[in-house]
Amino acid sequence: MNATKLRQFILFILLCGLVCIETTRVAAQQGNFLVTLSRFKVNRQTNEGLRAMDGAGDEVKFITHVGTLNAAGAFSYGEVSSLTIRNLVTSPDEFQTMSPLTLFNGEIGQDTKAVVIIPTIWEMDDLYNLQLMPDYRADIGRSRTALTRELAAIIRDRPALQLSKFLLSGSMLGINLNTMKKLARGIPQDRPIGMQAAGINQFGFMP
């Protein structure tokens, strides 16, 4: 075998090896995933003030937004909600159990499809005149461009398998902290658990 043919042969082997390795690597890093919520922990009871007219304890509802993006750039978005769980007895050590709530069930994989799951827990007081839930849903809708960008980066760049690369703050997904309207402390209202003070009688929320 002369030098030219030898170089061609070596190049062929290298290219074949790379293609085979790449094909094997992609095939090994995709599959069907089922994500469910089966239990949660109550840290402390929500302050409802003297107007807690909906019974003792908290009444909570899980509202989760799920978005998927495939390699072709097609983005889909949906919302998963649970039934309201009422009259929770709060204790730092108590786990409240529930029927598993399916948040996502489908195939994801590198170079093929990625998913973002934005879970929230809401205190439900059956008072919604401040329209905090519509505000939050509108925020989620406005984040679509940023969500698409983040998912595309995950598909394209294959980040290292580190929790910090996948567990992201809402701010990185274009969700604004200061969207909630005025809500004085202790006033009953359907609102997300985990709101933060953002001024006088002004609160924000970041999933």
Side-chain angles (χ1 to χ4, degrees):
M1 184 178 293
N2 61 37
T4 300
K5 289 186 177 180
L6 179 60
R7 284 194 296 269
Q8 291 175 344
F9 177 74
I10 292 174
L11 180 61
F12 171 78
I13 292 298
L14 288 174
L15 289 174
C16 180
L18 288 174
V19 170
C20 292
I21 291 172
E22 181 70 13
T23 302
T24 302
R25 187 160 65 105
V26 171
Q29 295 185 357
Q30 63 184 13
N32 196 80
F33 290 81
L34 173 64
V35 181
T36 62
L37 174 66
S38 59
R39 65 179 186 172
F40 63 97
K41 186 176 182 179
V42 176
N43 292 315
R44 63 176 181 267
Q45 186 171 340
T46 303
N47 178 10
E48 298 179 284
L50 300 177
R51 297 175 56 189
M53 298 174 290
D54 54 4
D58 285 334
E59 294 73 35
V60 302
K61 183 174 185 175
F62 296 87
I63 298 177
T64 303
H65 289 85
V66 180
T68 59
L69 182 75
N70 64 25
F75 183 77
S76 63
Y77 215 13
E79 181 178 306
V80 180
S81 298
S82 70
L83 297 175
T84 301
I85 305 171
R86 296 191 174 277
N87 306 125
L88 296 178
V89 178
T90 58
S91 168
D93 300 318
E94 181 178 353
F95 279 94
Q96 305 287 345
T97 59
M98 56 185 289
S99 298
L101 177 65
T102 298
L103 303 181
F104 175 78
N105 186 6
E107 186 175 280
I108 59 175
Q110 290 183 327
D111 292 335
T112 57
K113 190 175 184 179
V115 61
V116 59
I117 301 174
I118 309 175
T120 55
I121 306 176
W122 288 70
E123 164 68 10
M124 305 298 290
D125 292 327
D126 296 327
L127 291 171
Y128 39 82
N129 56 294
L130 295 181
Q131 297 292 295
L132 302 186
M133 192 173 293
D135 280 357
Y136 176 71
R137 285 175 170 147
D139 237 10
I140 293 293
R142 285 190 292 268
S143 71
R144 182 181 183 120
T145 299
L147 286 170
T148 302
R149 182 179 63 247
E150 289 296 326
L151 291 179
I154 289 176
I155 292 176
R156 180 185 66 249
D157 299 333
R158 298 186 178 192
L161 294 179
Q162 301 171 0
L163 187 61
S164 61
K165 301 292 185 181
F166 296 94
L167 184 60
L168 305 176
S169 167
S171 60
M172 297 184 67
L173 302 177
I175 301 173
N176 190 344
L177 175 66
N178 300 312
T179 59
M180 300 296 175
K181 298 176 182 177
K182 289 186 177 181
L183 175 66
R185 293 183 183 276
I187 298 299
Q189 191 75 201
D190 292 355
R191 61 197 183 279
I193 293 177
M195 295 178 70
Q196 304 171 29
I200 299 176
N201 283 343
Q202 183 73 48
F203 294 84
F205 176 71
M206 183 75 69

